[in-house]
Amino acid sequence: MEQKGKWFVRGIKDGVPIGLGYLAVSFTLGIASRKAGLTSIQAALMSLTNLTSAGEFAALSLITSQAAYAEMAFTQLIINLRYCLMSCALSQKIDPRAGIGHRFLVAFGVTDEIFGVSVASSGRLSPFYSYGMMSAAIPGWTIGTYVGVVSGEILPDRVLSAMSVALYAMFIAVIIPPCKENRIIAGIIVTAMAASTAMAYLPWVREISSGMRIIILTILIAGAAAILFPIKEGEEEENDGA
């Protein structure tokens, strides 16, 4: 029991920076939730049960466009499919003695940041390490969303519009570093942006809902990139050793 407590405390320490970052980003999510018509409780509950910024922002866009439930579910599947791969990779670092229940709970809390910190830690990890990080990160994401909705009900529209720029800054911060390191990724991102713009204006295609356009572009561009630019075995070994 003492060892579990040490793992939990270690996870909290490593999760605090993640929680603080989530607090800032999810504030913008709360503002977007208010614009989509969600109450503060509804938005907070969404963030508490769905730890995915891209997925939640896409969901808000679909809610605004009154998309069908099936379309929303399929969009979430495509957008969050990477978490399945992360969970599989992370399962190799979890203590083999951890039962299936622990593994399911750890998988629920997998985010890009939590996964990155976990895989960077040396040796096997206790599930309680993940629980500690989740205990610090999830409240930050949930509280930030709630405060964003409440602030959106109080602050003037001009202030809210200015703060909404944070969303675009977050997306830019996500795509710029990999673009600078890899020209192929930069080309794929530019292609995706150009194709998305074209689909918004081309006849017939523009009649398709925004959510379905995201699905089509994701499958086509990601599939084409996987076929044209596959990762070779040597590159995989180099990345594993990095």
Side-chain angles (χ1 to χ4, degrees):
M1 182 62 69
E2 182 180 353
Q3 190 68 20
K4 294 178 181 179
K6 290 181 179 179
W7 276 109
F8 188 79
V9 172
R10 177 183 167 186
I12 291 178
K13 291 181 179 179
D14 291 347
V16 167
I18 298 176
L20 293 176
Y22 284 174
L23 186 67
V25 174
S26 61
F27 187 88
T28 306
L29 175 64
I31 295 175
S33 299
R34 174 183 175 273
K35 292 182 178 179
L38 272 64
T39 66
S40 56
I41 299 298
Q42 291 172 336
L45 183 61
M46 179 179 68
S47 286
L48 180 63
T49 55
N50 298 273
L51 311 176
T52 162
S53 58
E56 288 186 60
F57 278 114
L60 293 175
S61 176
L62 294 173
I63 291 173
T64 303
S65 62
Q66 298 182 342
Y69 288 133
E71 181 179 337
M72 184 179 297
F74 192 49
T75 301
Q76 294 301 311
L77 174 64
I78 297 298
I79 292 177
N80 298 317
L81 196 59
R82 68 187 187 279
Y83 293 129
C84 292
L85 302 177
M86 292 181 187
S87 296
C88 291
L90 189 57
S91 68
Q92 305 303 308
K93 290 185 65 67
I94 297 296
D95 190 334
R97 295 171 295 180
I100 188 67
H102 284 299
R103 294 179 181 273
F104 271 120
L105 289 174
V106 170
F108 167 76
V110 170
T111 65
D112 297 342
E113 294 75 18
I114 289 179
F115 172 77
V117 173
S118 297
V119 297
S121 300
S122 58
R124 294 285 185 176
L125 298 176
S126 167
F128 289 87
Y129 175 70
S130 296
Y131 299 158
M133 281 200 291
M134 292 162 60
S135 298
I138 294 176
W141 185 250
T142 305
I143 294 172
T145 304
Y146 180 87
V147 174
V149 177
V150 174
S151 299
E153 297 173 351
I154 300 174
L155 298 176
D157 291 338
R158 291 184 178 181
V159 176
L160 295 177
S161 297
M163 297 183 67
S164 296
V165 176
L167 170 61
Y168 302 101
M170 180 191 70
F171 288 146
I172 292 174
V174 169
I175 65 175
I176 290 299
C179 284
K180 294 172 64 177
E181 296 177 1
N182 193 313
R183 293 183 179 180
I184 294 177
I185 294 178
I188 293 172
I189 292 175
V190 171
T191 301
M193 294 172 63
S196 178
T197 302
M199 290 186 71
Y201 290 98
L202 289 176
W204 301 103
V205 181
R206 65 186 178 189
E207 303 299 328
I208 302 175
S209 65
S210 59
M212 189 57 65
R213 290 202 299 265
I214 293 174
I215 294 173
I216 294 173
L217 288 175
T218 301
I219 294 176
L220 291 179
I221 295 178
I227 295 173
L228 296 175
F229 310 106
I231 298 178
K232 300 178 181 179
E233 293 184 1
E235 294 176 350
E236 289 181 343
E237 295 177 357
E238 183 179 348
N239 291 335
D240 291 339

